[in-house]
Amino acid sequence: MHIIDRIYIDGAFVEPHGDQWAPLFNPATEEQIGTVRLADAHDADRAVAAAKRAFPAFSNTPKEERIDMLHRLHAAVATRASDLIDAMREEYGAPSNFIDFSAPRAGNVFLEMAKTLESYDFRRRIGSADVQMRPSGVTVAITPWNSNYGFICGKLSAAIAAGATMVIKPSEMSAVQTRVITECLHAASLPEGVFNIVTGDGAVVGSALTAHRDVSKITFTGSTATGRRIVRTAAETMKRVTMELGGKSPSIILEDADLDVAVPQVLAAGFLNSGQACIAGTRILAPESRFEDIEARLREAVKDFKAGEPNDKSVRIGPMVSQKQWDRVQSYIRLGREEGATLLAGGEGRPEGLSRGWFVQPTIFTGVNNDMRIAREEIFGPVLSLIPYRDEEDAITIANDTDYGLQAQVFSSDITRARRVADRIEAGRVILNGAQHEPLAPFGGLKQSGFGREFGVFGLEAFLEPRAVLG
Ligand code: NDP
């Protein structure tokens, strides 16, 4: 049993003032694996005070020192890769295909940010003005459970690069992973108070941090509903906010697409992170002219996406993080049938052969109309909607007919055509023919997927404020 009874403030693991405890589970077995003592509003205050004390000195560190810190953070995280993997597998149930990407990526974001910082100029002349890019101040990161240390490291890397100090509030459902990553970050020996990590309830610690007068910026990843609440609270003190929220991303298969490439890629994007991903490509848009062929290929290809025990290397879809998320996904599968969609694969209940664990069958609905709720709302599980379209114009209209705008995919054997379609998609990121990840490219959404960008130079500038000195 993991007993997690410390939070991290001012460079030390300390006892929280909060005295509430929350259980921790292994989602693949539903067994309790530990408990975590939660921070409270008083702890939020202590963490902000530490970050505030650290800010004046840290904001004036030379860039070279911060580049060195980013390298140290990378090394400290890389050293504990196998512990990070074990913690994510036990507490989150992620299968190898996700963990193998996530664990190295958590450390690599520090190196990527160091690279960005090397070529970044904090001063520039604009006409007669000397313009200086100054760090935002005390910042807060609120992170979810679907990629615990990925989000923590990504957000922290930008704060460190900018010279801002930070208080991080992770999801309490990820307390084991948070403990390991905190030990890694601590081993990098940064000045006390530069980062502080307080695991606690969103409504208690999250609210206290977002309302705090000494906090000047919030970076949040999570649901659009919670994001909206945070923006409202942040408005009271005019905090800067970066919001990375939900999605209902379209994967558009144009009629000239090579289906041998497109079909496996579309499923990989849809079932990414067991479907618990804001960027998951959950709406598959297929031309009427090739609809039956695409249906048949999806029905066949989905067999390669085995759901089950995360230790099994052939598994590509792990459990949902909690009973609550499992119930939510099941309710959407029921809803899809009630709305008149047809199951092409999967359905309600656990996959065959699994008698426990919050596992969901990889599910594809066909004959889906974009007005149905399963096509409009974020399900956050391995449940995809196959939607027919008439022609290119219709595909673009359907793709953009959503409250979200985080990511989209376009498949075509004519790259010029794919780019032309991409130009008209309302999303912060468009991927053509399953192109590789670019870690320095900006990431973030349009519409209700949020605002602000993370990673690379845009991610760094989200933690900076320009100041003009004239004369
Ligand atoms: P939330 O958005 O509620 O949680 C994300 C983070 O916000 C957690 O750390 C949470 O803490 C915190 N939080 C919750 N309420 C507040 C508040 N009032 N003030 C400040 N922080 C707060 O997501 P859920 O875990 O409830 O998941 C529900 C749905 O959200 C999912 O089904 C999915 O659709 C979406 N989601 C999207 C994610 C993404 O990557 N964009 C990630 C996670 C969820 P606590 O855990 O203590 O509540």
Side-chain angles (χ1 to χ4, degrees):
M1 284 285 272
H2 301 274
I3 309 290
I4 298 175
D5 58 358
R6 291 288 180 271
I7 51 177
Y8 188 79
I9 296 180
D10 223 358
F13 289 86
V14 297
E15 192 181 342
H17 175 267
D19 58 2
Q20 302 283 308
W21 291 78
L24 299 167
F25 296 95
N26 176 331
T29 63
E30 301 178 39
E31 282 163 1
Q32 188 173 346
I33 55 166
T35 52
V36 53
R37 183 167 163 183
L38 303 176
D40 64 8
H42 179 78
D43 296 311
D45 269 349
R46 286 159 74 196
V48 172
K52 189 179 174 184
R53 275 193 303 277
F55 181 71
F58 188 63
S59 58
N60 284 306
T61 46
K63 173 168 121 166
E64 290 65 35
E65 249 179 64
R66 298 205 300 282
I67 291 173
D68 183 56
M69 288 179 200
L70 290 166
H71 283 281
R72 292 196 327 254
L73 286 162
H74 164 257
V77 173
T79 310
R80 298 281 303 275
S82 70
D83 295 334
L84 288 167
I85 286 172
D86 291 348
M88 184 181 265
R89 187 171 284 129
E90 183 186 18
E91 186 179 47
Y92 181 56
S96 302
N97 61 335
F98 185 69
I99 292 186
D100 291 348
F101 171 80
S102 299
R105 171 128 183 79
N108 288 343
V109 290
F110 292 111
L111 285 188
E112 287 148 12
M113 196 42 93
K115 203 158 114 192
T116 301
L117 192 51
E118 274 163 23
S119 56
Y120 190 76
D121 202 349
F122 284 83
R123 291 186 98 115
R124 60 193 85 153
R125 289 295 294 179
I126 296 183
S128 62
D130 173 27
V131 178
Q132 309 159 357
M133 299 301 283
R134 300 289 302 150
S136 309
V138 174
T139 65
V140 160
I142 298 180
T143 59
W145 38 262
N146 58 331
S147 181
N148 165 273
Y149 39 78
F151 291 126
I152 290 176
C153 294
K155 292 175 191 307
L156 181 62
S157 68
I160 301 290
T165 57
M166 186 169 245
V167 178
I168 301 166
K169 202 244 35 107
S171 166
E172 69 272 22
M173 278 191 278
S174 312
V176 176
Q177 297 162 83
T178 297
R179 177 165 67 183
V180 181
I181 195 68
T182 308
E183 288 167 2
C184 296
L185 302 174
H186 174 70
S189 303
L190 263 53
E192 288 166 8
V194 164
F195 70 92
N196 306 272
I197 303 186
V198 284
T199 296
D201 192 49
V204 179
V205 178
S207 299
L209 291 171
T210 49
H212 206 294
R213 298 191 65 79
D214 291 336
V215 171
S216 52
K217 183 195 163 70
I218 300 167
T219 171
F220 171 75
T221 298
S223 64
T224 298
T226 299
R228 206 171 277 129
R229 213 169 297 135
I230 291 174
V231 171
R232 278 198 204 105
T233 309
E236 288 299 321
T237 46
M238 291 296 165
K239 293 182 188 5
R240 280 61 177 143
V241 282
T242 298
M243 289 281 137
E244 204 276 273
L245 309 173
K248 199 71 198 177
S249 300
S251 288
I252 307 170
I253 305 176
L254 292 174
E255 58 194 359
D256 64 351
D258 177 351
L259 295 184
D260 290 338
V261 172
V263 166
Q265 293 273 5
V266 155
L267 289 182
F271 295 141
L272 180 74
N273 194 0
S274 309
Q276 302 178 118
C278 48
I279 52 173
T282 46
R283 292 185 298 145
I284 306 170
L285 274 51
E288 281 173 2
S289 58
R290 300 183 76 184
F291 201 74
E292 275 152 35
D293 187 14
I294 291 171
E295 270 187 330
R297 284 169 181 257
L298 286 169
R299 198 187 289 116
E300 201 47 40
V302 75
K303 293 176 187 156
D304 292 337
F305 288 80
K306 184 175 164 188
E309 286 287 339
N311 287 321
D312 177 346
K313 287 273 180 202
S314 65
V315 157
R316 294 178 74 176
I317 301 178
M320 303 298 94
V321 72
S322 63
Q323 176 80 54
K324 183 177 147 212
Q325 286 301 114
W326 190 83
D327 290 342
R328 176 189 158 108
V329 176
Q330 295 298 319
S331 76
Y332 273 104
I333 298 175
R334 265 193 309 281
L335 176 68
R337 298 179 69 134
E338 285 161 16
E339 287 186 302
T342 307
L343 280 171
L344 188 66
E348 277 176 70
R350 287 193 188 84
E352 216 181 296
L354 293 170
S355 57
R356 61 175 190 172
W358 295 310
F359 294 101
V360 171
Q361 296 181 51
T363 296
I364 307 175
F365 279 108
T366 186
V368 177
N369 178 314
N370 200 49
D371 291 334
M372 291 178 182
R373 282 180 57 200
I374 55 164
R376 304 201 78 80
E377 297 173 17
E378 187 173 56
I379 299 174
F380 233 57
V383 181
L384 312 182
S385 292
L386 179 60
I387 305 172
Y389 70 82
R390 276 189 316 277
D391 52 26
E392 193 177 294
E393 207 50 41
D394 194 30
I396 294 167
T397 303
I398 295 171
N400 290 337
D401 178 18
T402 169
D403 287 339
Y404 296 109
L406 191 55
Q407 184 160 294
Q409 297 211 81
V410 179
F411 294 90
S412 168
S413 45
D414 174 355
I415 192 68
T416 313
R417 183 178 182 196
R419 283 190 206 288
R420 193 179 66 220
V421 171
D423 284 348
R424 296 182 58 199
I425 300 297
E426 295 160 2
R429 184 172 283 202
V430 186
I431 298 174
L432 309 182
N433 294 324
Q436 272 199 334
H437 181 59
E438 170 44 71
L440 296 182
F443 175 69
L446 306 180
K447 303 197 270 187
Q448 293 187 37
S449 289
F451 46 83
R453 295 292 178 267
E454 298 191 274
F455 306 115
V457 73
F458 293 95
L460 169 59
E461 290 197 332
F463 283 80
L464 295 169
E465 293 273 350
R467 177 172 61 193
V469 179
L470 284 75

